[in-house]
Amino acid sequence: MATVVERERKYSGDEGFRLPDLTGCGGVVTMSDATVSDLDAVYWDTDDLLLLRSGHALRRRTGGHDAGWHLKVGAVGGARVEHQFPAGASDDGPPPELVALIRGASRGRPVAPAARVVNRRREHRLLDADGRVLAEVAEDDVRSEDLVDGAARTWHEIEIELVEGDEALLDALGEQLRAAGAREVTVSKSHRAVAGRIEGFDDREPDGPAAPVLAYVRVQRDAIVGNHAAAYQGNEDAVHDMRVATRRLRATLRTFRGLWDRRESEAVRAELRRLGGELGRVRDTQVMAARLTEAVHELPDELVLGPVAARIGERFAADLAEATTALRSALDSDRYPALLTRLDRLADAPPADVGRRWVDRRIRKAVRRADTRLDRALAITGPDGDAALHEARKKLKTARYAVEVREPVAGKRAARLVKRFKALQDLLGTHQDSVVTREVLRRQALQAYADGENTFTYGLLHARQAEAAGHDRPAVLRARDRSRHRKVRRWLKP
């Protein structure tokens, strides 16, 4: 299975639209003659179009240079990740490899043919002075059929996809197309094919005093779903983003727990903790491996005694393989789509009847708890102090996420406090990283000693980590005071 990143924009033209000459636009020197191909795609989805509604498109296409199964993830108009799987001897349904990547979006439910899109494509390549292909521009005469309600549609579409060009080129080409009468569209062909059905689903933003909380829950749920495919494949950024979304959800369900049935919200939090734990194993291993590898490489060669880099690589390669397998098992389990279904109910069902003041009080309470926990932690020294600072950091995250709920309404005032909390949280994170790294190095040294290898380098790295941790405290105190400045928090007052 191949994975590529698409950067494209789509435009719609009236029946008389003619593609203008794009040479001289954004560094384009040559516009090739058109190559013509006939494409026939069947899009698959759940009966209530969950894939499409969550920014996924699963299709089986014939014709063109990349015939086969395609899964696209991401919103039209931005960078979209496309997973490609070649056509096989039997194409009665999507291959298991792609089914695994849509379990989040489909909530584990079966998919079936939802729409057929047929188009005659005329494609031009846009080249620079060195012959590099900067982008491809395709004119599509499209015919679609909704395979459920039978609705048929036709339209003319222009698609620009970057190859070696950049976003500035997309902007320049878009300006040229709009000048020629084209209009930018922000929905996919599959979306237009089932437009009649998709309008029947109520995906409107929530309203009322609790609306900011519910909107925040939806955004984090969508982040889990949107990062699922890449995280399943071990992508570091996706694993990180998916883990952060589980943390934000857990914190939000705790901070504003009076909005939902307590037993249900706590059960969802427990499932999020379990999923976050599996994501954390992968992410922490990735980070620690990179951290220690970099630390070894920064040492002068004469201070690296023994196969230190090799041993670190071996240890973390094994740990990462084990953690990745465990994460995939969790995402393949029935508990994962069940968790997302429960999140759907929490995000979409009417919450308890509360007022704006109730929401604001919960935010202020989260902030006060973080302040108290940090002050107590800073008064403790030694190993107990390290553990206390780690717990204080967790409370700071909870406070930061609570403030983020208000950010869309409070604007720069909330954003400033979020930024101050993040700076403080990052310093405490650096300290905790040092604590964890020292323990890993200690264990590595013990194993090296048992294997008869030199342990000098492990001790040196341990000492450097301890020294770095000692420099954190003054910075933490300054960041704490900055986060508590009157001007930063004034907006929180009732």
Side-chain angles (χ1 to χ4, degrees):
M1 180 165 55
T3 301
V4 298
V5 177
E6 277 188 348
R7 292 177 296 164
E8 65 179 21
R9 293 183 191 170
K10 296 176 181 291
Y11 297 83
S12 181
D14 295 329
E15 186 175 346
F17 177 84
R18 293 292 180 268
L19 186 68
D21 183 0
L22 298 173
T23 57
C25 184
V28 175
V29 173
T30 303
M31 181 173 175
S32 73
D33 293 335
T35 59
V36 181
S37 56
D38 292 309
L39 309 176
D40 190 340
V42 174
Y43 288 84
W44 292 58
D45 212 324
T46 62
D47 55 4
D48 52 355
L49 302 174
L50 279 173
L51 298 188
L52 190 57
R53 291 161 61 195
S54 61
H56 291 59
L58 176 64
R59 73 186 179 200
R60 167 70 171 86
R61 189 168 77 180
T62 58
H65 61 85
D66 59 350
W69 287 94
H70 304 153
L71 170 64
K72 293 188 178 187
V73 181
V76 172
R80 305 182 80 191
V81 178
E82 181 175 315
H83 306 274
Q84 302 173 343
F85 200 86
S90 175
D91 284 317
D92 295 334
E97 292 87 347
L98 287 184
V99 172
L101 300 186
I102 63 170
R103 278 180 60 78
S106 70
R107 309 301 193 263
R109 291 162 50 187
V111 294
R116 184 184 181 195
V117 175
V118 179
N119 65 297
R120 165 65 62 92
R121 168 164 290 182
R122 297 181 298 279
E123 193 168 53
H124 303 264
R125 294 185 302 164
L126 306 180
L127 298 85
D128 66 6
D130 297 323
R132 293 187 309 143
V133 180
L134 300 177
E136 294 175 340
V137 179
E139 287 188 277
D140 293 332
D141 291 318
V142 187
R143 293 182 290 111
S144 73
E145 178 188 4
D146 187 320
L147 298 178
V148 174
D149 67 12
R153 294 174 176 82
T154 62
W155 68 89
H156 185 70
E157 185 171 291
I158 305 93
E159 185 177 294
I160 307 173
E161 181 175 350
L162 289 181
V163 180
E164 295 189 55
D166 56 19
E167 294 293 325
L169 175 61
L170 275 181
D171 292 339
L173 293 172
E175 184 177 348
Q176 191 84 344
L177 289 177
R178 286 191 293 271
R183 302 176 303 279
E184 187 169 0
V185 295
T186 57
V187 295
S188 63
K189 291 181 176 67
S190 54
H191 190 287
R192 296 177 77 167
V194 296
R197 279 198 293 146
I198 204 167
E199 289 175 358
F201 297 101
D202 185 8
D203 290 328
R204 292 174 300 177
E205 290 296 316
D207 56 13
V213 182
L214 298 182
Y216 192 77
V217 169
R218 288 185 180 188
V219 168
Q220 307 316 318
R221 174 203 60 192
D222 293 346
I224 292 177
V225 172
N227 283 289
H228 167 91
Y232 190 91
Q233 297 176 314
N235 178 276
E236 294 187 11
D237 291 338
V239 171
H240 170 73
D241 291 346
M242 196 171 179
R243 182 191 191 187
V244 170
T246 65
R247 286 175 169 172
R248 283 185 163 118
L249 282 167
R250 285 179 57 205
T252 302
L253 294 177
R254 170 78 176 178
T255 300
F256 303 99
R257 59 186 177 182
L259 290 178
W260 305 278
D261 176 79
R262 179 70 61 86
R263 180 176 298 178
E264 177 64 8
S265 64
E266 287 301 309
V268 171
R269 288 186 73 243
E271 287 297 301
L272 287 167
R273 183 184 300 111
R274 174 178 172 272
L275 175 59
E278 299 297 350
L279 291 161
R281 285 183 61 195
V282 175
R283 182 59 182 159
D284 290 345
T285 303
Q286 292 169 337
V287 170
M288 187 59 66
R291 182 183 178 92
L292 287 180
T293 299
E294 181 181 2
V296 173
H297 287 164
E298 288 177 348
L299 291 175
D301 291 344
E302 63 270 19
L303 297 181
V304 181
L305 306 183
V308 179
R311 293 291 180 262
I312 289 174
E314 291 167 2
R315 181 258 173 90
F316 285 108
D319 288 353
L320 183 57
E322 181 181 344
T324 301
T325 298
L327 173 59
R328 287 179 176 171
S329 295
L331 297 178
D332 285 333
S333 72
D334 291 339
R335 295 175 71 170
Y336 172 62
L339 164 62
L340 292 172
T341 299
R342 297 171 86 171
L343 277 172
D344 291 339
R345 288 197 292 266
L346 291 179
D348 298 337
D353 186 14
V354 298
R356 161 82 181 269
R357 290 185 177 181
W358 182 91
V359 174
D360 289 345
R361 281 198 304 270
R362 302 300 297 180
I363 297 173
R364 291 195 297 272
K365 186 175 182 179
V367 171
R368 287 196 302 270
R369 282 179 172 174
D371 290 344
T372 300
R373 184 63 65 91
L374 179 59
D375 290 343
R376 289 176 180 173
L378 288 170
I380 304 173
T381 59
D384 290 341
D386 291 337
L389 285 174
H390 181 49
E391 292 303 314
R393 180 174 176 243
K394 293 180 182 179
K395 291 297 183 184
L396 278 167
K397 287 182 180 179
T398 298
R400 172 187 156 198
Y401 300 154
V403 174
E404 284 178 350
V405 167
R406 269 283 173 236
E407 195 169 345
V409 175
K412 292 182 179 180
R413 298 175 299 167
R416 188 180 300 115
L417 181 54
V418 167
K419 185 177 180 180
R420 300 283 174 93
F421 273 147
K422 187 176 187 308
L424 179 54
Q425 171 193 317
D426 288 347
L427 286 169
L428 294 176
T430 299
H431 180 85
Q432 178 63 15
D433 288 344
S434 170
V435 172
V436 174
T437 303
R438 277 179 275 163
E439 177 59 22
V440 171
L441 287 167
R442 188 184 72 83
R443 293 181 182 179
Q444 285 291 112
L446 289 173
Q447 184 61 54
Y449 179 80
D451 293 338
E453 296 173 357
N454 195 307
T455 62
F456 169 82
T457 303
Y458 297 109
L460 176 60
L461 291 171
H462 188 285
R464 289 192 171 191
Q465 288 293 323
E467 181 183 10
H471 295 158
D472 289 346
R473 188 178 182 86
V476 169
L477 293 173
R478 289 193 298 270
R480 179 198 64 180
D481 294 342
R482 282 174 54 80
S483 74
R484 297 181 184 180
H485 196 281
R486 183 176 59 85
K487 290 183 178 180
V488 176
R489 296 199 177 186
R490 182 165 50 194
W491 67 277
L492 281 172
K493 294 181 180 181

